[in-house]
Amino acid sequence: MNIRKIKPSDNLALATMIREVFIEHNAPRHGTVYSDPTTDDLYALFERERSVLWVAEEKEQIYGCCGIYPTDGLEPGMAELVKFYLSAPARGKGIGRKLLEQSISSAAAFGYKSIYLESLPHFSKAIAMYEKQGFSKLSQPMGDSEHPTCDIWMIKKL
């Protein structure tokens, strides 16, 4: 499995894969990344300074993604862990852990001091992975992610 930065040609495959994960888990489609217009052009979104989206692929097939983004409204020195999704065939093989670790390393390399994330109870396996990586739950959201349906908020100090 190759882990690399997003390319413009990844947009359609990533948007399709992300939305399939939402459908598979019966997760809310409104107020989440599912309906977020930026999901259709992730390459452009991640052209922002001090951001990166890592893509897991094998034989030109995309299996997952995970990134770091300087979400508006977060405290100085804080980034958001975003777009962490794996297709069903990629789960249970350590690919998600590798994507998550690569994103955490990128946040540190960019000079961030902490990472914030938002999630949903529908993604309980990801939440368990976050906890293993040192994230702890918060009682309220931070920043301006524009995903009001997310009701799990976590933070990790770097």
Side-chain angles (χ1 to χ4, degrees):
M1 189 69 55
N2 180 38
I3 295 179
R4 59 163 175 78
K5 291 181 180 178
I6 189 173
K7 302 185 296 192
S9 59
D10 296 332
N11 280 333
L12 179 59
L14 285 170
T16 300
M17 185 263 307
I18 289 169
R19 290 183 174 117
E20 286 173 355
V21 170
F22 271 76
I23 292 166
E24 174 191 353
H25 288 88
N26 198 29
R29 296 179 190 166
H30 297 287
T32 64
V33 72
Y34 186 97
S35 60
D36 189 327
T38 65
T39 301
D40 292 310
D41 192 1
L42 292 174
Y43 180 81
L45 181 69
F46 285 91
E47 286 189 305
R48 186 168 177 180
E49 189 176 336
R50 296 177 72 208
S51 73
V52 64
L53 184 66
W54 295 104
V55 175
E57 73 165 358
E58 187 172 64
K59 298 178 183 172
E60 298 184 26
Q61 174 73 34
I62 290 179
Y63 288 97
C65 58
C66 186
I68 294 295
Y69 193 79
T71 300
D72 292 338
L74 290 177
E75 298 173 6
M78 181 182 291
E80 186 173 4
L81 183 85
V82 295
K83 314 297 188 247
F84 183 30
Y85 298 100
L86 289 176
S87 64
R91 295 183 203 133
K93 299 177 181 176
I95 298 165
R97 182 182 44 78
K98 288 178 185 174
L99 283 167
L100 180 58
E101 289 172 352
Q102 182 70 46
S103 295
I104 292 169
S105 293
S106 295
F110 286 139
Y112 292 114
K113 303 297 181 208
S114 58
I115 304 172
Y116 167 77
L117 69 83
E118 298 180 340
S119 193
L120 296 160
H122 303 75
F123 303 124
S124 58
K125 289 185 179 179
I127 294 163
M129 187 183 306
Y130 299 142
E131 290 172 333
K132 284 183 182 178
Q133 289 288 334
F135 283 85
S136 56
K137 289 186 178 174
L138 297 169
S139 60
Q140 62 187 21
M142 301 176 77
D144 302 322
S145 73
E146 300 182 20
H147 297 142
T149 305
C150 293
D151 59 0
I152 294 175
W153 314 285
M154 302 180 85
I155 192 165
K156 174 184 175 69
K157 302 284 186 206
L158 299 177

